[in-house]
Amino acid sequence: MLSDVMEDYLKAVYVLQRERGPPVKTSAIADYLDVTPPTVTSMVGKLEERGLVTREKYKGVELTPEGETVALEVLRHHRLLESFLADHLDYEYDEVHDEADALEHHISEEFERRLARKLDDPTVDPHGDPIPSADLEPPEHPDTTTLADHDAGDRVVVARVDDRNVDELRYLKDAGIQPGTELAVREHAPIGLFVVEVDGEDVHLPDRVAGVIRVRAVDDGDAEVTEA
């Protein structure tokens, strides 16, 4: 049986592989999990012994098929729990991540099935992250760009917000920015700020935050929703 920490490492490697491609450097895992590189090296060795990752010296770590399955199961638990907390327990979307982290390792498969059924099998969580399906196939990630890729005059819809920094999530929530929010890019200020319009109000975002907000182009369906 895997420990909670082992599952956390596998989940981290999966997310980093999605973002940057494999192999994943141990320094990136250390930053993601807020641990030291030697700690990562020790844990990676244990995971490698169990056949859950492969490691290439000086290059990094990659999940094996078995490791990916474990990571997808933990992610499915996590993102279903986030959705339940937001939809049924009135948690804000900046509050659900830590609660789901605490619970994701401890729910049964029957609980997971009932949870998914209660939620009508959602495909994304409150942050816009895709939820792996019950058969644990890697979910499809829709084509998006970062807000930082856009210029003044562009209109976009938020597809995903990074859930790792609670302070940033609170700032975005207070600014009215969440998945589904339509933004108009007003200015990329030379002092490292993005200025976007949200519901007629200007919001200032640091470049770093604009770089982790994933967006898509506005389409006719969005216009219909906005008008309604």
Side-chain angles (χ1 to χ4, degrees):
M1 184 174 178
L2 298 180
S3 68
D4 294 357
V5 175
M6 287 178 170
E7 290 183 347
D8 284 339
Y9 270 78
L10 294 172
K11 182 176 70 170
V13 175
Y14 178 86
V15 171
L16 291 168
Q17 282 186 180
R18 285 290 319 173
E19 292 179 352
R20 310 177 188 188
V24 177
K25 293 185 178 297
T26 55
S27 59
I29 302 171
D31 288 342
Y32 187 94
L33 294 172
D34 195 22
V35 297
T36 64
T39 300
V40 174
T41 300
S42 174
M43 178 56 73
V44 164
K46 295 175 183 178
L47 296 172
E48 188 175 32
E49 289 175 1
R50 290 174 175 251
L52 299 169
V53 301
T54 58
R55 174 174 48 173
E56 189 171 352
K57 195 172 184 180
Y58 305 122
K59 290 192 174 181
V61 178
E62 186 171 355
L63 295 174
T64 64
E66 293 80 4
E68 181 177 75
T69 297
V70 174
L72 287 167
E73 182 173 34
V74 178
L75 275 174
R76 177 169 169 79
H77 289 179
H78 181 96
R79 292 173 180 174
L80 285 172
L81 285 163
E82 286 190 331
S83 298
F84 181 78
L85 290 166
D87 292 353
H88 293 279
L89 297 183
D90 298 326
Y91 277 74
E92 298 290 346
Y93 88 134
D94 59 317
E95 299 174 322
V96 296
H97 179 75
D98 288 346
E99 293 282 11
D101 262 350
L103 296 168
E104 66 192 15
H105 308 287
H106 307 295
I107 66 172
S108 68
E109 297 314 298
E110 178 60 24
F111 187 92
E112 176 206 306
R113 284 191 288 272
R114 294 190 183 201
L115 194 59
R117 189 163 60 244
K118 177 71 173 178
L119 295 166
D120 293 327
D121 291 313
T123 57
V124 295
D125 72 9
H127 308 108
D129 286 310
I131 299 175
S133 63
D135 59 9
L136 300 181
E137 288 295 321
E140 291 189 10
H141 290 248
D143 290 335
T144 59
T145 55
T146 71
L147 180 59
D149 293 328
H150 289 267
D151 300 317
D154 289 351
R155 291 173 61 244
V156 296
V157 173
V158 177
R160 177 186 176 274
V161 293
D162 196 311
D163 65 356
R164 285 174 242 169
N165 188 310
V166 173
D167 290 335
E168 289 177 2
L169 279 176
R170 286 174 181 158
Y171 181 83
L172 293 175
K173 183 195 73 173
D174 291 341
I177 297 174
Q178 60 186 329
T181 301
E182 184 176 323
L183 308 175
V185 180
R186 297 288 303 277
E187 180 185 3
H188 188 185
I191 57 174
L193 285 176
F194 251 75
V195 183
V196 297
E197 182 182 329
V198 184
D199 292 332
E201 299 289 335
D202 283 354
V203 175
H204 295 75
L205 301 172
D207 281 355
R208 180 175 57 82
V209 176
V212 297
I213 298 175
R214 306 295 303 189
V215 299
R216 58 179 173 80
V218 174
D219 59 29
D220 293 338
D222 297 313
E224 290 172 6
V225 171
T226 302
E227 292 168 4

